[in-house]
Structures are given as C-alpha cells and as structure tokens.
Amino acid sequence: MTIKQTMIGRICKRYSASIECIGVGDESDETAQLTLSLPYEELLERIRLLLPEYELDALEQDRPVPGRAIWHKMAGNLWLVLLAVIMWVGIRVVSGGNCELELSLFSENPVRLNEGGIVLGAFVICLFLNLIRIVLNMRTERFGMGKNFVELTTGSFGRTTVFLQYRKLQYLEYNASPIARWTGLYGGRVYILSKHSVNRSPMVSKDEIECMRRKCLELS
C-alpha cells in the first residue's frame, strides 16, 4: 500500500492511497487507486475498513532519518561540481576563450561577466535549490517497522510512504559505501513480487536491516 502527498497536498494536509497487486493496473483501463485525496484521519478510517491487516497506529518503531545522514545527501551533490567544470570548459571551447556577458537590468552601468562568472552564478543557483531539496528530504524521510509490515517514507517537496508486508518482500539491496561504513547508515532498495515494485529505502542502520531480514524469513 502506498500513501502519497504532492507538494500541494502537503500544504493542504491531504493524502491519497493506492495498492499494488500483481495483475491490477496492468491494463490501461484499470486503476489501483484506493482513495481520493482525503484528510489523514478520514484516510485512516478507510484503510482500517478496507485493509485491516495494516495497523498503522501500532508501529513498533517509527523514526525520522538520523542527522548524520546529511553526509550521504551532501556526497550525492558532488555531481554539481562536475557539472560546473563541464559548463566552464564548454563555454571556453564554444567562445574560443573570449566569452563575456553584459548585465544592465538594474543599473545604467552594465556588469561584465566572463565565462567564470556565468558558471559560478549557475553553480550557486543550482546549489541553493539542491540544498533546499536536501533540507526537505531530511525532514521527510522516515523508517518504521510494524508487526507484519515495514514503512518506507521518502521524498522532498512531495512525500511517498510505502507499506510492505514482510511476507511479500522478495529481497533487500543496500549499499556499503565508504560513507555508509563511517556513518553506520545504508541506503538501498526493497523489492517485492511485482515488476513495477522497486521501492527506494530511507537511510537505515545495519541492525534495522538485520531485523527486516529476520522478519522476512519468519513470516515468509
């Protein structure tokens, strides 16, 4: 089961739920939508009625992403530095080393920027927007474990919470990068028996991965 919030939905505090089941939603005229956009309490009432096996009020564990996960997020933005270098080299090649831009929108005296200023401005704008995304992502991600299911919440501007029953999980895939060994947190994906279900996991510890593995074996 998936509970989604768009960016507007987060502002208005509205949620929608859908299910994923093999054979449902494969045809163009089929839909796996469980509810329309609803307030959270009304959504819980519908879920209790339609899917009582998901006891969303009885999570054994439910926590936000640990603060040290910020190092993983920052490391994932190194591509911005590479992009800036590529832009600078590209401008130099296209302009033959003589690229200047005049900005005179708010002043009678135009400001002249060379290729370095152009690339730096683009880099700063992209970095600022990405930092906003990282902050929202840190505030959004959650990980929870219930008696029969695991909760994976990801997103930044929007939010997606996936509830997966342990007995439906096919396998877990987590990456042990140098940063993961340092922070003790691992990112990865969780797969179930469906061609469409590759669910991204929030950052989890080795003990939480082991706990999921044991529950999968016990309930399979």
Side-chain angles (χ1 to χ4, degrees), residues 1 3 12-17 34-51 56-57:
M1 179 179 65
I3 296 177
C12 300
K13 297 182 179 181
R14 310 282 290 192
Y15 306 77
S16 64
L34 192 64
T35 69
L36 299 177
S37 181
L38 299 171
Y40 189 66
E41 290 302 322
E42 188 174 345
L43 181 79
L44 284 181
E45 291 179 6
R46 301 288 180 90
I47 292 174
R48 293 189 192 105
L49 178 64
L50 299 173
L51 296 172
L56 303 187
D57 296 327

Side-chain angles (χ1 to χ4, degrees), residues 131-146:
L131 286 175
I132 293 176
R133 184 187 63 82
I134 290 174
V135 171
L136 291 174
N137 186 254
M138 291 287 292
R139 292 177 62 87
T140 298
E141 283 196 354
R142 298 190 71 86
F143 174 78
M145 297 184 71

Side-chain angles (χ1 to χ4, degrees), residues 148-164:
N148 299 308
F149 62 88
V150 61
E151 169 205 2
L152 308 174
T153 301
T154 57
S156 51
F157 296 96
R159 172 164 44 193
T160 300
T161 302
V162 182
F163 298 92
L164 303 172

Side-chain angles (χ1 to χ4, degrees), residues 36-145:
L36 299 177
S37 181
L38 299 171
Y40 189 66
E41 290 302 322
E42 188 174 345
L43 181 79
L44 284 181
E45 291 179 6
R46 301 288 180 90
I47 292 174
R48 293 189 192 105
L49 178 64
L50 299 173
L51 296 172
E53 62 269 28
Y54 290 98
E55 301 176 11
L56 303 187
D57 296 327
L59 285 173
E60 298 172 355
Q61 174 187 358
D62 183 30
R63 58 136 182 92
V65 62
R68 61 185 184 277
I70 189 67
W71 298 108
H72 292 265
K73 311 296 182 183
M74 296 300 293
N77 285 276
L78 293 178
W79 64 271
L80 281 174
V81 178
L82 179 61
L83 177 63
V85 173
I86 293 175
M87 287 178 60
W88 183 80
V89 173
I91 292 174
R92 292 281 295 183
V93 171
V94 172
S95 64
N98 184 28
C99 177
E100 291 188 345
L101 179 66
E102 290 188 357
L103 298 179
S104 57
L105 296 178
F106 306 104
S107 174
E108 296 180 356
N109 300 319
V111 178
R112 302 179 69 85
L113 294 176
N114 58 18
E115 69 277 358
I118 298 171
V119 172
L120 179 61
F123 175 77
V124 170
I125 292 173
C126 291
L127 183 62
F128 177 72
L129 294 176
N130 225 29
L131 286 175
I132 293 176
R133 184 187 63 82
I134 290 174
V135 171
L136 291 174
N137 186 254
M138 291 287 292
R139 292 177 62 87
T140 298
E141 283 196 354
R142 298 190 71 86
F143 174 78
M145 297 184 71

